[in-house]
Amino acid sequence: MRSSDGVVPVTSRYDLPEIDAFTRTYWEAAAGGRLLIRRCGACGRAHHYPREFCPRCWSEDVRWEEASGRASLYTWSVVHRNDLPPFGGRTPYVAAVVDLAEGPRMATELVGESEPRAGAELEVAFRDGVPVFRFARGGGEGDPDRRRLPLAGGGAA
């Protein structure tokens, strides 16, 4: 949103989304601990990031679907310097691309203490309503803290 003088105000957090009418469903689900993807009714393919059309066949017959939250690590990079808030306080952190079990690739952050390795089994977690991934712990759906991450201050995300 621009001010009357045409200047775009600077946000204090670069890791939180700008929610619009279309993505509101996605971000509200994430705030509730659910990861959504879009699936095409015409060709059946799932996609992520959310779009109003299928990127494969261009059909507008797409719908929201809850993802399993399972993924495998495709690639990653350890970020040692980032001056944008709040990333500077998180360095080093792992920027990653994961293959969701449903098929799409997703850019995310990998959290946890384990050493990244290609193909590692991951599960979704949420920090401040934003999906991040961590190494699967084998607790599955019955693990009560499966989707909540401790915050730096000791609370739950």
Side-chain angles (χ1 to χ4, degrees), residues 7-31:
V7 175
V8 177
V10 176
T11 181
S12 60
R13 296 267 317 254
Y14 290 88
D15 62 331
L16 298 178
E18 255 186 56
I19 299 171
D20 61 30
F22 174 68
T23 62
R24 182 169 312 284
T25 300
Y26 177 84
W27 293 113
E28 286 177 353

Side-chain angles (χ1 to χ4, degrees), residues 18 30 54 104-105 134 139:
E18 255 186 56
C54 174
R105 284 200 171 133
R134 64 182 175 198

Side-chain angles (χ1 to χ4, degrees), residues 96-108:
V97 177
V98 301
D99 288 325
L100 298 175
E102 294 77 11
R105 284 200 171 133
M106 178 179 174
T108 187

